Amino acid sequence: MKRIILSGCNGKMGRNIVAQVREREDCVIVAGIDRNAASLDDFPVFTCPADCAVEADVLIDFSHPSALEGLLAYAAERHLPAVIATTGMSPEQVAAIHQASRQVPIFFTANMSLGVNLLVELAKKAAAVLGGQFDIEIIEKHHNQKLDAPSGTAMMLADAISEALPEPAHYVYDRHAVRRKREKSEIGIHAVRGGTIVGEHEILFAGQDELVTLSHTALSKGVFAAGALNAAIFLCGQENGLYNMGDLLGGRNER
């Protein structure tokens, strides 16, 4: 049974992970890290990673980008594998994650859902076939409490599509600000925020007289919690390096 330290244990995703762990037999949460130090379960909660001396096999982070520096230092010091599931990281923070993966195994992806990662692969195949002939637009929808826009998943989709195109694309986020016809090299990326939408991502391939649509809808946060737990179990015992959903699913990971 794998012992987990859960960062962000008292947040919405943290509570979802706690609930799922109760139903599993392959893992247990032995400690939590959260700015709210209240212990809502049968494990201790610390406000600072450095204060946590509980022995564990892996760390899962579903907190806030501001906590990343301390968590990476904590993981490196204890050589504790870490699943970074928090979104909204800056380019500098992503670089720090890559740097830390030289010292400790780290699992990092923009979305923990198996379905979303399948959508990425389908989008790449569609772009390879349709690229250059179809205009490409990405629309993402999330709840009104989400801070970052566009979503990390939308950017992951755009990057994957761009790599599959004959020529790299450039991204357009605010079409009303530029009065000109759409260029073939564009990928439009649009963010919608409202209500309690868990997460929706749609890719439109718009051609001459035909439209191809790929989409994924998350109906609950449970899909992300399950993915993070599976990633944590997978990461235990791995060598230092950066891992993603492709590794978990048995695919090829480029480092």
Side-chain angles (χ1 to χ4, degrees):
M1 180 175 290
K2 302 303 181 184
R3 301 165 297 175
I4 298 170
I5 294 175
L6 178 58
S7 173
C9 61
N10 289 336
K12 291 181 180 179
M13 279 306 309
R15 302 311 304 160
N16 206 305
I17 289 177
V18 170
Q20 289 204 23
V21 168
R22 292 197 190 104
E23 305 299 320
R24 297 177 65 135
E25 297 181 353
D26 58 352
C27 58
V28 62
I29 298 174
V30 294
I33 300 171
D34 200 287
R35 62 182 181 180
N36 172 14
S39 181
L40 305 179
D41 299 275
D42 57 355
F43 54 82
V45 178
F46 305 89
T47 56
C48 177
D51 295 335
C52 178
V54 179
E55 291 297 320
D57 299 300
V58 64
L59 166 74
I60 297 178
D61 173 43
F62 252 123
S63 58
H64 187 273
S66 61
L68 179 68
E69 183 178 358
L71 290 170
L72 291 180
Y74 178 76
E77 180 181 352
R78 302 188 62 182
H79 198 71
L80 185 67
V83 176
I84 306 298
T86 298
T87 60
M89 299 292 183
S90 69
E92 293 77 17
Q93 289 175 314
V94 173
I97 292 171
H98 281 253
Q99 181 69 26
S101 70
R102 299 178 182 179
Q103 301 174 272
V104 66
I106 292 183
F107 192 105
F108 177 62
T109 182
N111 193 297
M112 285 290 169
S113 161
L114 174 62
V116 162
N117 283 274
L118 174 60
L119 179 65
V120 171
E121 297 303 316
L122 294 174
K124 287 163 64 175
K125 291 182 179 180
V129 174
L130 305 176
Q133 305 175 62
F134 284 61
D135 298 324
I136 303 171
E137 299 282 313
I138 298 172
I139 303 99
E140 57 96 346
K141 304 174 185 178
H142 285 86
H143 53 87
N144 57 22
Q145 300 300 302
K146 186 171 178 61
L147 300 180
D148 56 312
S151 68
T153 301
M155 298 309 301
M156 178 174 69
L157 288 166
D159 290 343
I161 291 170
S162 182
E163 291 175 3
L165 293 173
E167 299 291 336
H170 70 277
Y171 305 155
V172 175
Y173 306 96
D174 191 10
R175 204 173 290 284
H176 86 278
V178 180
R179 296 183 60 82
R180 65 164 182 257
K181 292 182 178 179
R182 190 188 196 284
E183 298 177 2
K184 281 292 183 183
S185 60
E186 292 180 11
I187 295 179
I189 304 176
H190 315 277
V192 176
R193 296 289 176 267
T196 58
I197 302 170
V198 175
E200 297 181 15
H201 292 85
E202 182 178 22
I203 308 165
L204 301 179
F205 293 87
Q208 184 68 36
D209 300 326
E210 59 181 334
L211 179 67
V212 178
T213 304
L214 299 174
S215 66
H216 175 272
T217 299
L219 300 179
S220 80
K221 294 180 181 294
V223 297
F224 311 122
L229 287 170
N230 291 336
I233 300 302
F234 160 82
L235 200 61
C236 293
Q238 298 290 346
E239 297 180 353
N240 294 352
L242 189 65
Y243 298 85
N244 58 32
M245 193 62 74
D247 298 289
L248 178 59
L249 300 178
R252 180 172 62 91
N253 182 47
E254 295 181 1
R255 292 189 176 84

